[in-house]
Amino acid sequence: MDISDLLPIAQQVAAELGPHLSRDRLLHGIRQHGHTIGGRRRDAIYNTIRHTTNNGNR
């Protein structure tokens, strides 16, 4: 699965987490939706979400 396939799920999880967004919580939320990611994809998805939410101020 490509990172772009996970972005909608990751964005939904990030919105649910709001100010409580962290890498671990984001990944846990993605896992709850039935997806697993590891390694470089894990860092890439978190960095993408972090920089697209709140102008990267998290």
Side-chain angles (χ1 to χ4, degrees):
M1 179 172 278
D2 189 60
I3 291 171
S4 62
D5 297 326
L6 292 171
L7 277 177
I9 296 164
Q11 289 169 332
Q12 177 185 345
V13 171
E16 292 167 1
L17 291 172
H20 303 290
L21 177 66
S22 71
R23 183 178 147 194
D24 290 339
R25 288 179 176 162
L26 178 65
L27 298 174
H28 178 72
I30 291 170
R31 281 188 217 107
Q32 286 183 320
H33 284 271
H35 302 281
T36 59
I37 57 175
R40 289 176 280 187
R41 291 189 308 158
R42 180 175 34 217
D43 290 335
I45 196 79
Y46 175 67
N47 288 333
T48 299
I49 293 298
R50 188 182 65 189
H51 291 296
T52 58
T53 57
N54 199 22
N55 298 320
N57 291 329
R58 292 185 195 260

